[in-house]
Amino acid sequence: MLGQMMHRPLSIIEILRFAAEAHGPAEIVSVRTEGDIHRTTYAETYGRVAQLAHGLAGLGIGQGDRVATLAWNGYRHLELYYAIAGYGAVCHTINPRLSAEQFLYIVNHAEDRVLFLDTTFVPLVEALADHLPKGLKLVLMTDRAHMPDSKLDMLCYEDLLEGQPTTYDWPELDENTAAALCYTSGTTGNPKGALYSHRSTVLHALMTAVTLHTSLREGNRILPVVPLFHVNAWGLPYSAPLTGAALIFPGPKLDGASLWDLMEAEKVTAAWGVPTVWQGLQAEIAKRGRNPEGFAEVVVGGSAAPRSMIESFEKSGVNVCHAWGMTEMSPIGTHGLLSKYHEDLPFDQKMKLKSLQGRRVFGVDLKITDEAGNPLPHDGKSQGELFVRGNAIISGYFKNAEATEAAMDADGWFGTGDIATIAPDGFLVLRDRSKDLIKSGGEWISSIDLENIVMAHPKVSSCAVIAIPHPKWDERPLLVVVPAGEDKPTKDELDEMLLEHVARWQLPDALEFVEALPLTATGKVSKLTLRQQFEGYKLPDMG
Ligand code: AMP
């Protein structure tokens, strides 16, 4: 027997309509590429989003068409998120840090009809103009006064909106209609597209709003450093309006000093982003001798947050939530907020728990399997490939049957490519990306484990551990360190620290110093590039 309830389709524009009514005056503050600070509210934004939808109609966009964005975090980018989805088209966010080749691959693969871009990216698009798909319309996200001279034929964003009605007759869409498209940065092969639906997006917003409730609540002011151009800024464009939290968009300047100043000026309560960004902010906090006023929480994810970083925030009174997720998961899968029953644990134990990847959010199922695909127990010891299933997880990649086939198991779970353990109390521990694990004499060494320990050394600014092929052991670890200053750490010093936590056979065989680690388009250490840099490297016992 079926229930007798109305079936109202879940719809993205409904989030903003709700925010405009329930949290109308809540602010959206943006550092603009024009150089100034712009302030608006959810109520005003809803009106401008309607104007933008009329503008999209004027461009001849059809339902299901892909409309691309190449832009920093700012109010116009947020308007595009809502107008495109509400219109029934697909908002395709492009990561400007991709290589030219990947950028062109994505634009062509997605068959984008229009590209909305920030002024910063005009040179990038000019350089690729001859290779862009024929008929791709370009819209510059600025007003008439700031339109630059360019060989490109570009429309002006504010012209599209000007004079348009501030209401729009939003179509009632099937909740499974595609709403947004994001390609994973793909360290190997071509990028792969995750195509989100209205339903998955609204459910993800609800799931995360319930879980990350210390950030996501009315009256809070959230700084998304995590970009709108990748993984939907961890869902913040949807979850913040839903809860009434204000959004403070940092625009293009993401260095520690710029972030500190913005946070202080705007009384940011919670900041969300990848560990590399927080390294910059922590250096600035050390320089100025205090946190920006009101700074109470950091949500960190995208790659493993080192324990030293977590401890340093926590000691200064900033609550740390270490989260794990993937583009393919909308993206949040687990979170590291502790519960009431953890409150009485000693500080050290709390920090230990916080440096794990945390517990699942509602709507995400986790399983780990052995190489034959058999499920392994959640005993905190058994280590296997992590598979996920849930309401906001892809069922396949956009127009890519081969990658879909490789990622999904026979029961419809998605293979994350991460190697993990899950404890009986639900805490997930990522041991490594499967391709980054170091296989030594039939045993595995976790590069993440070694990196986390070494990161805590005061003479280390950042580090990475990679596998070097070895004739006897198969692979052995090489430790690559960016020193914090002139006084470099010695291998003995680091070994001593490592030996407090790992077995002697897991120690790196060699230590190399570099000025900087190569980063991927999403700000993570690119182990692929690092392995290429050290190709042919001879460890001490290899002659
Ligand atoms: P992306 O789709 O670009 O967000 O990358 C997802 C991948 O980033 C995951 O499969 C993990 O390997 C890694 N990742 C994300 N968050 C964390 C975290 N908190 N700790 C360790 N690795 C992470």
Side-chain angles (χ1 to χ4, degrees):
M1 185 161 57
L2 297 178
Q4 260 187 308
M5 303 305 287
M6 288 185 192
H7 181 77
R8 298 284 308 141
L10 298 172
S11 134
I12 288 176
I13 196 68
E14 282 302 311
I15 294 181
L16 191 61
R17 188 167 77 85
F18 171 76
E21 286 177 23
H23 309 293
E27 267 195 310
I28 301 166
V29 179
S30 310
V31 177
R32 295 207 288 188
T33 48
E34 288 93 333
D36 56 353
I37 298 263
H38 175 273
R39 315 188 91 83
T40 184
T41 62
Y42 286 130
E44 271 173 24
T45 298
Y46 187 52
R48 275 177 57 89
V49 164
Q51 291 183 301
L52 180 54
H54 287 288
L56 292 175
L59 291 176
I61 299 298
Q63 291 203 348
D65 281 352
R66 268 74 73 198
V67 177
T69 65
L70 189 62
W72 301 109
N73 287 5
Y75 67 104
R76 292 190 182 110
H77 205 171
L78 184 76
E79 289 165 0
L80 283 160
Y81 262 65
Y82 280 98
I84 297 168
Y87 186 86
V90 178
C91 178
H92 170 207
T93 51
I94 304 182
N95 186 336
R97 299 188 189 120
L98 292 176
S99 66
E101 195 187 330
Q102 286 179 323
F103 175 88
L104 290 173
Y105 171 84
I106 282 179
V107 172
N108 283 295
H109 188 264
E111 300 172 80
D112 292 325
R113 296 275 319 277
V114 184
L115 172 64
F116 283 83
L117 65 149
D118 265 340
T119 47
T120 331
F121 303 119
V122 171
L124 190 156
V125 176
E126 277 177 345
L128 301 176
D130 296 342
H131 308 283
L132 292 175
K134 296 272 165 294
L136 179 76
K137 289 186 177 135
L138 302 175
V139 182
L140 199 59
M141 292 163 66
T142 189
D143 54 22
R144 184 119 302 272
H146 290 89
M147 289 294 282
D149 282 336
S150 165
K151 67 171 185 176
L152 298 172
D153 189 11
M154 290 183 293
L155 299 163
C156 168
Y157 185 94
E158 291 300 330
D159 285 359
L160 273 191
L161 274 74
E162 195 170 318
Q164 300 284 10
T166 52
T167 56
Y168 190 83
D169 191 9
W170 301 107
E172 188 162 305
L173 304 165
D174 182 311
E175 64 180 7
N176 294 307
T177 304
L181 175 63
C182 178
Y183 284 75
T184 62
S185 42
T187 41
T188 49
N190 280 323
K192 295 168 282 190
L195 185 62
Y196 313 104
S197 66
H198 283 259
R199 176 185 159 82
S200 69
T201 305
V202 174
L203 288 175
H204 183 266
L206 288 164
M207 280 150 47
T208 50
V210 171
T211 311
L212 300 172
H213 56 93
T214 43
S215 268
L216 288 163
R217 63 161 83 135
E218 209 226 319
N220 273 4
R221 294 172 72 78
I222 303 182
L223 174 82
V225 182
V226 50
L228 289 168
F229 60 66
H230 183 61
V231 287
N232 309 314
W234 298 348
L236 278 175
Y238 311 110
S239 53
L242 191 68
T243 55
L247 284 169
I248 316 297
F249 286 126
K253 290 201 202 129
L254 306 178
D255 59 284
S258 304
L259 291 179
W260 198 100
D261 287 338
L262 181 65
M263 290 170 76
E264 172 89 351
E266 293 300 332
K267 303 285 171 282
V268 164
T269 54
W272 293 35
V274 295
T276 34
V277 168
W278 304 136
Q279 267 186 4
L281 182 70
Q282 286 196 321
E284 195 60 28
I285 290 171
K287 221 192 257 160
R288 306 212 194 189
R290 69 173 175 92
N291 282 333
E293 203 188 316
F295 181 28
E297 179 158 280
V298 91
V299 177
V300 58
S303 50
R307 179 163 168 175
S308 50
M309 170 178 286
I310 297 175
E311 272 195 37
S312 149
F313 272 130
E314 290 271 345
K315 281 183 182 152
S316 75
V318 174
N319 183 38
V320 176
C321 173
H322 183 196
W324 165 82
M326 299 182 81
T327 305
E328 290 89 336
M329 301 174 69
S330 297
I332 296 179
T334 61
H335 73 96
L337 290 180
L338 299 185
S339 299
K340 271 268 176 248
Y341 48 83
H342 294 120
E343 242 168 35
D344 296 333
L345 289 176
F347 181 77
D348 187 58
Q349 279 217 37
K350 280 193 201 160
M351 293 307 103
K352 199 165 160 206
L353 281 180
K354 287 202 171 206
S355 58
L356 312 179
Q357 275 68 23
R359 293 172 290 174
R360 70 190 180 99
V361 301
F362 176 77
V364 175
D365 275 338
L366 308 173
K367 76 168 175 184
I368 41 174
T369 67
D370 64 15
E371 274 169 22
N374 303 311
L376 294 169
H378 295 189
D379 57 9
K381 292 188 210 85
S382 308
Q383 177 168 314
E385 179 171 357
L386 177 63
F387 283 80
V388 290
R389 181 176 73 175
N391 305 102
I393 296 169
I394 61 161
S395 58
Y397 288 105
F398 179 52
K399 293 199 303 181
N400 194 337
E402 203 185 319
T404 300
E405 163 102 77
M408 310 302 296
D409 80 1
D411 300 323
W413 292 66
F414 171 77
T416 64
D418 287 322
I419 303 295
T421 58
I422 301 172
D425 56 2
F427 276 84
L428 173 75
V429 184
L430 282 207
R431 311 295 300 176
D432 230 326
R433 293 293 294 164
S434 53
K435 55 187 180 304
D436 294 339
L437 264 183
I438 297 151
K439 190 171 195 188
S440 173
E443 297 286 342
W444 298 98
I445 302 174
S446 156
S447 62
I448 293 189
D449 278 358
L450 301 184
E451 288 159 9
N452 267 337
I453 300 164
V454 173
M455 279 298 286
H457 198 282
K459 293 181 189 169
V460 173
S461 163
S462 55
C463 72
V465 174
I466 52 168
I468 299 291
H470 190 282
K472 179 171 175 197
W473 300 110
D474 219 358
E475 291 176 341
R476 290 293 304 160
L478 166 69
L479 170 62
V480 184
V481 163
V482 179
E486 295 289 298
D487 183 17
K488 293 178 182 163
T490 62
K491 176 136 192 336
D492 284 348
E493 273 177 288
L494 297 177
D495 282 354
E496 196 183 318
M497 196 167 173
L498 282 162
L499 279 173
E500 285 172 29
H501 307 275
V502 305
R504 186 165 287 279
W505 66 271
Q506 294 177 317
L507 290 179
D509 279 19
L511 164 66
E512 289 292 332
F513 294 103
V514 291
E515 268 177 32
L517 292 170
L519 297 182
T520 66
T522 52
K524 306 178 195 193
V525 173
S526 171
K527 297 251 176 116
L528 185 76
T529 316
L530 202 62
R531 279 195 290 266
Q532 283 164 354
Q533 282 174 11
F534 283 91
E535 207 174 328
Y537 182 86
K538 292 246 176 304
L539 294 167
D541 69 341
M542 285 164 60

